[in-house]
Each structure stands twice: as C-alpha cells, then as structure tokens.
Amino acid sequence: VGCDRSKNLVDICGEKHFQAFVCDALSVPIRSGSCDACISIAVIHHFSTAERRLATIRELARLLRPGGTALIYVWAMEQEYKNQKSKYLKEKNGSKNKDKEMHTDTAQGPFSDQGPDNSSQDSAWSDHLLNDLKNESCGAKSVADFRLPVHTNRTSFHSQDLLVPWHLKGGRKKKEESVDTVVVPGGSKELQELSPVFHRYYHVFCEGELEAVCRSLDCVRVQKSYYDQGNWCVILEKL
C-alpha cells in the first residue's frame, strides 16, 4: 500500500491498479503495529525542521509490528564519498534521460538548477541563516531576511538547507499567469518563457545525521546504516 501528499500521483497509481491513498507522512491513517515493513524513499529530506524529520521517523516506527523493518533513504550532503563521485554529479555534463530527471524525484537527487555562479552567495546566505537560528536573542525579522540558497544542478552542496528548482517540462503557463525568469543553458527562448519553475525545499543530510536521529528513538534499533549513490540510508527494526 502506497501513500503520497499528491492526489495526482495517487490517481496515477489507481489507474495502474495499485493501492494508494493521499495522506501526510506525519500522520498516516494506518493502525499501529500493522505493517511488516515500511519504505520511505526521498521523502524525509523535504521536511523543514529537525522536529518534523524526527516525527516522520517516529510515525514510520509506529506503523511497524515488533520485529518489523523500515528502509529510509535521504539525499546526502556528501555527493563525493571515499573519492567517488555520485551518479548525480557524474551526470552533470548531460544525460540521455534529462527530461525524465526533470519530472522524477529519485533518491539519487532531484533535478534542476539555477545560476552556476551562485555558490559563494549561497554559502553566505547559509551562514547568515545559521547565525540567525543560533542567536536566540534575535528579534522578529521579516520573511524576506530568511532567503534560502538555490541549488545549482549537478554540483556539490554548499548548504544543508536549500531550494531546488523544478523546471516543468511541457507545462505552459496561461497568459494571465506570471512567468518566472528561467535560465536554461542551451534552451530556446520559448522554453525559457513558458516553462514554469517551482522551488522545492530540501534538507540534505550529513554523514551520521540520519542514523543519529533514528538512534534517538527508543522504539527502534538501527540494523544497518550505509551510503548509496549520494544518499544516506538506514534499515530500522521495531523493538
């Protein structure tokens, strides 16, 4: 049985005769202790706070029967590990499946890009954000002060919290809708004007971070923790 926040994706599952329903990963309407196994691939890195990421893993554990297992994949900060570049970085110079990558959220990492010269600016904004969060005496600030860096496609990460642009291929905006300014290397002017861009939030995990979050829960034990093609992964067992 599958679940997703997107009704359109769930509808596609229904058309293919799969069992799926719409729900939130923080509150899954399934009886506690009723699942032999749970899989969470490329989901938890979309939650914007440590509390929510922990709550999502706790919810996974709630669904498991004693002895049941869960597999979790999240995007890794380290896209180069043990002197090996991830598939995500290796595909920087073009891919035969480029359009597919634009549409599909895989555990190997999302899909698109903006401004290859933004890395130093992004790092500065990351430091600014972290300093604000650490300084408990900060007064109220306007929303505009909390800008997140925008990731450059197929490059290493300069911040754990960032936005990844999604270029919607084939999705043309209506005349009355606003059109974002999009820089698409090698793309036509028409594509740049008509392709909507959506910014999606990601928290990329550092080495040991996902495992540490899982170990903070008394109801599970970490069977295995490993790195796989630009992702940090754990296998949990319900106690």
Side-chain angles (χ1 to χ4, degrees):
V1 179
C3 58
D4 199 278
R5 279 295 299 269
S6 168
K7 181 182 182 299
N8 289 341
L9 291 179
V10 170
D11 287 344
I12 292 172
C13 290
E15 292 167 3
K16 296 178 179 292
H17 306 293
F18 295 128
Q19 298 183 69
F21 58 89
V22 177
C23 82
D24 191 304
L26 289 168
S27 181
V28 181
I30 292 179
R31 178 168 48 86
S32 299
S34 60
C35 299
D36 295 313
C38 294
I39 299 173
S40 174
I41 306 294
V43 174
I44 295 174
H45 55 218
H46 287 299
F47 285 94
S48 60
T49 67
E51 291 78 13
R52 288 186 176 191
R53 294 189 285 270
L54 174 61
T56 309
I57 297 172
R58 184 183 289 112
E59 181 69 352
L60 272 180
R62 180 188 67 79
L63 301 175
L64 293 171
R65 64 165 175 79
T69 55
L71 172 65
I72 301 172
Y73 265 60
V74 295
W75 214 7
M77 178 86 171
E78 300 85 356
Q79 289 297 306
E80 188 166 345
Y81 187 67
K82 295 184 177 178
N83 298 320
Q84 293 287 327
K85 288 185 177 181
S86 68
K87 184 179 179 182
Y88 176 70
L89 290 185
K90 287 179 181 178
E91 291 182 354
K92 179 178 181 180
N93 295 322
S95 168
K96 294 179 181 178
N97 297 320
K98 198 167 187 178
D99 288 345
K100 185 176 180 181
E101 288 161 11
M102 293 288 189
H103 287 82
T104 308
D105 188 3
T106 65
Q108 292 171 358
F111 0 69
S112 211
D113 57 1
Q114 194 139 337
D117 297 322
N118 288 343
S119 58
S120 60
Q121 180 185 11
D122 293 352
S123 180
W125 270 110
S126 173
D127 293 341
H128 170 71
L129 180 62
L130 288 174
N131 287 336
D132 282 342
L133 293 176
K134 288 176 182 177
N135 185 1
E136 296 180 356
S137 63
C138 278
K141 297 190 138 207
S142 67
V143 174
D145 289 336
F146 291 94
R147 291 189 295 171
L148 288 170
V150 177
H151 179 57
T152 301
N153 188 38
R154 304 298 173 188
T155 64
S156 298
F157 296 114
H158 302 285
S159 170
Q160 277 193 272
D161 296 281
L162 44 85
L163 298 175
V164 177
W166 169 291
H167 296 274
L168 183 61
K169 294 289 187 176
R172 298 196 169 192
K173 289 200 173 187
K174 297 177 183 178
K175 289 183 179 179
E176 63 271 17
E177 291 180 325
S178 62
V179 178
D180 293 332
T181 302
V182 185
V183 179
V184 183
S188 67
K189 183 178 180 181
E190 180 184 12
L191 177 63
Q192 294 181 32
E193 291 177 351
L194 296 176
S195 294
V197 178
F198 301 94
H199 289 85
R200 304 183 352 141
Y201 171 83
Y202 281 80
H203 172 84
V204 290
F205 282 68
C206 289
E207 182 173 8
E209 182 180 355
L210 177 61
E211 184 177 351
V213 175
C214 294
R215 291 189 186 282
S216 70
L217 296 175
D218 295 333
C219 57
V220 296
R221 75 176 182 88
V222 177
Q223 278 190 348
K224 187 178 181 182
S225 177
Y226 59 98
Y227 180 89
D228 180 25
Q229 282 295 338
N231 304 280
W232 288 114
C233 324
V234 295
I235 298 176
L236 303 176
E237 180 184 1
K238 177 72 171 289
L239 300 176

